[in-house]
Amino acid sequence: MSLGQRVTTDHQLARLLQIGVVLEEVVESRAAHHLESLPEAEREAIDAEVRALLDEAADESAEHRERLESLVDDLDAETVSYEEINALVDARYGPPEGTDGVLYDQLCNEETAYKFYDDLIEAIEASDAAFAIDREVVLETLRGIREEEREGVEDVTDIMERRA
């Protein structure tokens, strides 16, 4: 489904929110596993600032996932479990290349999430459909998550610029 279109049904809204849940699960899993996946020497080279960034990203994604799952539940739909996505992430992605790779990957995650929520908000706002859940609650939730993703992009960019 293209986000360039309006969201016109509960089914479309549920599917897009489910995509958001999966996106957050991937970000959470990757942030949580970056340090574990690095070779020992590179892991020790990661400083406290980057460790804190990854911990915060994992916690924030878990919180976003819970907020989205609540909306999906209100639409009487189901989501994919974190454990299933985590297993797929472990099987699919190799370790990043040192601190720069960790930061670049995290920046890509934050930017992807921001763009997804920005497009989803636009698609909902472009629609005049009535949903089974309150449109303003959905939009308020998504706007809050989008803002936190924007802040995440800025945080990673700031760290990368200081290291350049």
Side-chain angles (χ1 to χ4, degrees):
M1 173 184 311
S2 169
L3 282 182
Q5 301 173 2
R6 294 179 183 154
V7 178
T8 58
T9 67
D10 284 345
H11 178 74
Q12 285 178 320
L13 180 59
R15 294 300 288 168
L16 290 165
L17 292 171
Q18 288 167 332
I19 290 169
V21 170
V22 171
L23 175 64
E24 293 296 345
E25 289 172 339
V26 169
V27 171
E28 179 183 356
S29 179
R30 293 194 68 181
H33 290 93
H34 275 322
L35 293 178
E36 298 167 14
S37 65
L38 288 171
E40 184 67 32
E42 290 181 33
R43 191 176 322 137
E44 291 174 5
I46 303 290
D47 61 37
E49 183 178 39
V50 174
R51 289 175 192 274
L53 175 81
L54 294 174
D55 287 343
E56 182 180 329
D59 291 345
E60 182 179 278
S61 289
E63 190 265 331
H64 290 174
R65 178 174 45 85
E66 290 169 4
R67 290 164 63 188
L68 293 168
E69 285 173 339
S70 176
L71 295 174
V72 171
D73 286 346
D74 289 347
L75 288 166
D76 292 325
E78 295 181 16
T79 61
V80 177
S81 74
Y82 173 76
E83 292 74 22
E84 289 179 66
I85 298 300
N86 192 32
L88 293 172
V89 168
D90 284 345
R92 170 67 176 95
Y93 296 102
E97 299 291 324
T99 303
D100 289 343
V102 168
L103 289 172
Y104 181 76
D105 187 71
Q106 190 58 37
L107 179 61
C108 290
N109 290 337
E110 299 282 356
E111 288 176 332
T112 299
Y114 175 85
K115 178 67 172 142
F116 173 79
Y117 294 117
D118 195 52
D119 289 348
L120 180 52
I121 290 165
E122 187 176 301
I124 293 169
E125 289 175 339
S127 173
D128 57 2
F131 300 114
I133 59 177
D134 187 298
R135 170 192 300 274
E136 284 310 310
V137 170
V138 173
L139 288 170
E140 180 181 312
T141 300
L142 295 174
R143 287 178 186 130
I145 293 171
R146 178 185 62 185
E147 177 61 20
E148 291 168 4
E149 298 297 351
R150 184 193 60 74
E151 291 169 0
V153 169
E154 289 178 1
D155 291 345
V156 177
T157 302
D158 289 346
I159 291 172
M160 292 173 85
E161 286 174 352
R162 283 195 302 273
R163 293 169 183 269

